[in-house]
Amino acid sequence: MSGQGQFQLMSQRRFAPLFWTQFLGAANDNLFKFSFTLLATYHAVEWGGVDPATAGFVVGAIFIAPFLIFSATSGQLADKIERSSLMRFVKNLEIAVMLVAATGFIARDARLLYLVVFLMGLHSTLFGPVKYAYLPQHLRDDELTGGNGLVEMGTFVAILAGTMAGGLLVESGEGGTLLVAVACVSVAILGRIAAAFIPRSPAPEPGLRVNWNPVSETWRNLHIAARDRTVFHSLMGISWLWFFGSIFLTSFTPFARLVLGGDESVVTLLLAVFSIGIGSGSLACERLSARKVEIGLVPFGSIGMTLFAVDLWLATRGMAGGGSRGAAAFVGDSSSWRVMADLFLLAFFSGIFSVPLYALIQSRAEASHRARIIAANNILNALFMIVAALMAKALLDAGITFPQLFLVVGLMNAAVAAYVYMLVPEFLMRFICWLLVHTLYRLDKSGLENIPENGPAVLVCNHVSFVDPLVVLAASPRPIRFVMDHRIFRTPIISFVFRTGKAIPIASAKEDEKLLNEAYEKVADALAHGELVAIFPEGRITDTGELYPFRAGIRRIVERTPVPVIPLALKGLWGSFFSRRYGPAMSKPFTRGLFSRIALEAGPAVPPARATPESLQAAVQAMRGDWK
């Protein structure tokens, strides 16, 4: 993408109509749900008689029930039916459902409105898989994170817009419910107009026979997703986020009323702060990830989620509620600023947590089953949200306060995150790499387009420090298998990264001939499976800052498996804490400040027949120049 980044997509038909269709659908969901939730909470006697403290949880549980029942079917339909026509059908359904909702609002029939909550859940169930399967069909790999960020941002801005509109219309006077009815139908019609411009998107399996059994189909799709452990645990991570987020979103109305002493306008303000936060975090992902699918952001997001959930408990534990102050009075109270800051930052880090997971699933899931895997994800999301609602209700019934509920969820988030990162250390490994080049260093990158988007290749790089592999990994658009000296492979602490990244330890024939031969076998196998393999042909970290002669191992590799060779040049790491400029590495305090400038440059691919140690060293030397 150009300098405009992800926002360039908003001018393109392959993305913009889907964005606005999703935006208007999410806005309508929340316009309707929030209007009804406010009526059921603040005017419970007239609108269903449900306990005001749990009305939001009841509405939420009914809304997500269709995800459990119909997601498996909706995923199959999204893989079987041409996707733009399927989205237009879903928007037609929304118009019909909103006409029923209008009848319920005008007739003040709460039972009819609870039915509409279920039907709008069905609408979202049908739209979710086709929406997320559409994105990788029309976006490049380097656009996936930015595109998902825009969708997530748009969704939460739509939540904010729908919520604010619902609150304003409900409180506008006697005719408020009529205005809500008109608005719901009007937004549904606008969504159908937007869907008319979505480009044709062929289904990957038009001959698919639909399995109408949701249990067996869900199990089969989860089994397909589990072929890639990272994809499967990404599904679990997203589901956990919905567990985490649903508790906060459904708690805002009673939290504002019982703890903060606020009226409906305070609820709207809290939702606005939360929505802006998650939208900002979602948009930040493109810049933080350097326009690639960067799962190293996931641990970063989970840390922020826990910290600010716990601080929200600290900020509100002494509040007694009472009264019914408006948003202006709430903002005028200095103690409220910490509450709003915690909500904003909690949501901001939730956006950073979620976008890379969605992008990873879209990029790694099997294309022929992508919509069905996303549908299985929706079922998991629904299960987690139902458990969240039941848990929250049980804890509140047991006497804990809303601030204490937020503390429990924050601590649970820390425990779940630690467990997931132990199961799939790739997340933590990528986080360490990402953190390295965003704290200790400021990494300039050039020529990375020379690294092929897919297929095998060998990368050769000069060896300056112990963190060279981490810097290259952080910059690379693809995973890399590193071949490295067995002693460096076993370096304390960072050996975790090397093992997680499936690095290949190697030794000289004199030291361990068996290990040497095993290393070459693993390299050949990795290349045969289309992976990137990186080596440091000098065979050691430099003691002088200059390149040592490249060894003949690269010739042996490409003679056995003829693949392109990409020369890389690291610059600026000589003299760092991890280099040997001042004696043994990592033996003296940091001699350079944070954000020291370093660089990685990739040269054009060298055909295997011309990939000699001498020519590759010359290429690396020329790119490195005098900057060590």
Side-chain angles (χ1 to χ4, degrees):
M1 288 182 281
S2 72
Q4 300 177 52
Q6 63 209 103
F7 290 101
Q8 185 188 29
L9 293 172
M10 294 298 296
S11 64
Q12 299 182 20
R13 187 183 171 192
R14 61 194 173 107
F15 180 80
L18 173 75
F19 176 89
W20 290 114
T21 302
Q22 162 67 14
F23 181 94
L24 291 163
N28 218 15
D29 273 348
N30 288 276
L31 168 62
F32 166 74
K33 284 195 302 178
F34 190 64
S35 298
F36 183 41
T37 300
L38 284 179
L39 292 169
T41 300
Y42 286 90
H43 309 280
V45 174
E46 302 173 61
W47 293 89
V50 176
D51 180 4
T54 57
F57 292 106
V58 173
V59 170
I62 294 173
F63 182 79
I64 62 177
F67 285 88
L68 290 173
I69 304 169
F70 302 111
S71 282
T73 303
S74 68
Q76 295 175 86
L77 294 175
D79 279 335
K80 178 181 175 64
I81 300 173
E82 193 276 316
R83 286 167 176 167
S84 65
S85 61
L86 179 57
M87 285 189 266
R88 285 188 275 275
F89 168 80
V90 173
K91 293 292 112 178
N92 291 337
L93 173 64
E94 182 183 356
I95 294 173
V97 172
M98 285 297 102
L99 289 171
V100 177
T103 303
F105 279 121
I106 294 169
R108 295 180 175 266
D109 189 336
R111 290 173 298 179
L112 195 59
L113 293 177
Y114 277 115
L115 172 64
V116 172
V117 172
F118 181 87
L119 292 175
M120 284 304 287
L122 173 61
H123 156 270
S124 297
T125 301
L126 293 171
F127 193 73
V130 67
K131 169 186 69 178
Y132 282 115
Y134 172 97
L135 288 175
Q137 195 171 4
H138 291 269
L139 301 185
R140 302 190 307 268
D141 287 347
D142 65 335
E143 295 174 325
L144 266 183
T145 295
N148 275 278
L150 281 171
V151 169
E152 291 300 298
M153 177 276 296
T155 298
F156 279 89
V157 170
I159 289 172
L160 171 59
T163 298
M164 292 183 67
L168 291 171
L169 293 176
V170 166
E171 295 303 313
S172 63
E174 285 296 319
T177 51
L178 175 61
L179 293 175
V180 171
V182 172
C184 287
V185 175
S186 300
V187 175
I189 292 172
L190 289 174
R192 176 60 180 84
I193 293 171
F197 294 94
I198 295 174
R200 180 175 174 80
S201 306
E205 286 201 57
L208 177 69
R209 293 184 60 183
V210 176
N211 175 12
W212 298 99
N213 184 328
V215 177
S216 63
E217 182 62 22
T218 299
W219 182 256
R220 189 164 74 91
N221 291 334
L222 288 174
H223 180 72
I224 293 169
R227 293 174 188 170
D228 186 320
R229 290 183 68 221
T230 305
V231 169
F232 180 76
H233 287 99
S234 295
L235 300 181
M236 300 299 290
I238 290 172
S239 297
W240 169 254
L241 178 67
W242 281 105
F243 178 103
F244 181 90
S246 66
I247 286 181
F248 286 91
L249 287 170
T250 52
S251 296
F252 281 162
T253 300
F255 173 62
R257 180 169 174 257
L258 302 174
V259 178
L260 303 178
D263 62 11
E264 293 95 326
S265 65
V266 174
V267 179
T268 304
L269 175 63
L270 296 182
L271 284 167
V273 170
F274 192 89
S275 299
I276 293 170
I278 203 162
S280 300
S282 299
L283 287 179
C285 284
E286 190 203 30
R287 179 173 292 275
L288 292 173
S289 67
R291 295 180 181 172
K292 64 181 180 180
V293 179
E294 180 53 84
I295 61 175
L297 292 175
V298 176
F300 183 51
S302 65
I303 291 169
M305 289 161 61
T306 290
L307 287 177
F308 293 104
V310 172
D311 195 66
L312 183 59
W313 165 69
L314 291 171
T316 57
R317 59 179 175 167
M319 294 183 177
S324 185
R325 54 182 175 169
F330 176 75
V331 173
D333 183 348
S334 59
S335 63
S336 301
W337 284 92
R338 183 176 171 187
V339 174
M340 290 189 291
D342 283 333
L343 282 175
F344 175 84
L345 291 168
L346 181 152
F348 180 86
F349 282 100
S350 297
I352 289 175
F353 180 90
S354 66
V355 169
L357 291 177
Y358 278 114
L360 182 142
I361 291 170
Q362 292 165 18
S363 64
R364 292 200 189 180
E366 297 178 33
S368 59
H369 291 76
R370 189 178 284 132
R372 280 168 281 175
I373 289 173
I374 293 167
N377 174 60
N378 289 343
I379 294 174
L380 288 174
N381 294 349
L383 285 170
F384 275 62
M385 291 169 70
I386 288 172
V387 172
L390 294 174
M391 185 197 80
K393 188 175 188 309
L395 290 174
L396 292 170
D397 289 346
I400 78 164
T401 64
F402 280 98
Q404 290 168 342
L405 176 63
F406 299 155
L407 173 64
V408 169
V409 176
L411 295 177
M412 288 177 66
N413 182 68
V416 169
Y419 178 67
V420 169
Y421 304 146
M422 284 191 294
L423 286 177
V424 190
E426 183 182 355
F427 287 102
L428 198 54
M429 179 268 287
R430 293 296 312 181
F431 175 58
I432 292 171
C433 295
W434 180 85
L435 197 63
L436 178 75
V437 299
H438 287 83
T439 54
L440 294 181
Y441 302 116
R442 181 165 56 88
L443 178 62
D444 297 332
K445 297 167 286 187
S446 59
L448 295 186
E449 67 277 3
N450 291 313
I451 298 176
E453 293 183 3
N454 47 62
V458 176
L459 312 179
V460 297
C461 187
N462 57 316
H463 208 355
V464 189
S465 75
F466 279 88
V467 295
D468 294 351
L470 278 64
V471 174
V472 176
L473 273 173
S476 172
R478 293 175 56 188
I480 301 172
R481 297 281 301 275
F482 279 89
V483 181
M484 60 177 58
D485 184 275
H486 64 101
R487 290 178 293 267
I488 298 176
F489 180 82
R490 299 186 182 97
T491 302
I493 302 176
I494 57 176
S495 65
F496 161 79
V497 179
F498 302 148
R499 295 177 190 276
T500 302
K502 299 180 181 178
I504 302 170
I506 195 169
S508 66
K510 184 178 179 180
E511 288 180 293
D512 190 337
E513 187 173 2
K514 180 182 177 183
L515 183 60
L516 175 67
N517 292 329
E518 287 177 352
Y520 282 117
E521 288 295 328
K522 290 178 181 178
V523 168
D525 182 67
L527 294 173
H529 285 85
E531 297 182 81
L532 291 180
V533 174
I535 67 170
F536 298 100
E538 296 166 87
R540 56 177 294 186
I541 295 174
T542 180
D543 294 317
T544 65
E546 301 301 334
L547 273 66
Y548 287 111
F550 281 19
R551 298 183 179 179
I554 180 62
R555 182 183 288 115
R556 178 173 173 179
I557 290 171
V558 296
E559 283 178 352
R560 177 169 178 175
T561 314
V563 296
V565 181
I566 316 296
L568 304 178
L570 278 168
K571 313 172 192 180
L573 281 162
W574 179 243
S576 72
F577 175 71
F578 302 101
S579 73
R580 291 173 171 168
R581 180 171 184 175
Y582 304 106
M586 299 178 286
S587 62
K588 295 184 179 181
F590 282 93
T591 56
R592 290 157 56 174
L594 298 180
F595 303 110
S596 297
R597 184 166 167 255
I598 61 174
L600 177 70
E601 182 176 351
V606 178
R610 293 166 44 200
T612 65
E614 296 77 16
S615 65
L616 293 170
Q617 181 170 352
V620 172
Q621 180 69 63
M623 287 190 293
R624 197 208 68 171
D626 295 327
W627 187 14
K628 301 177 183 180

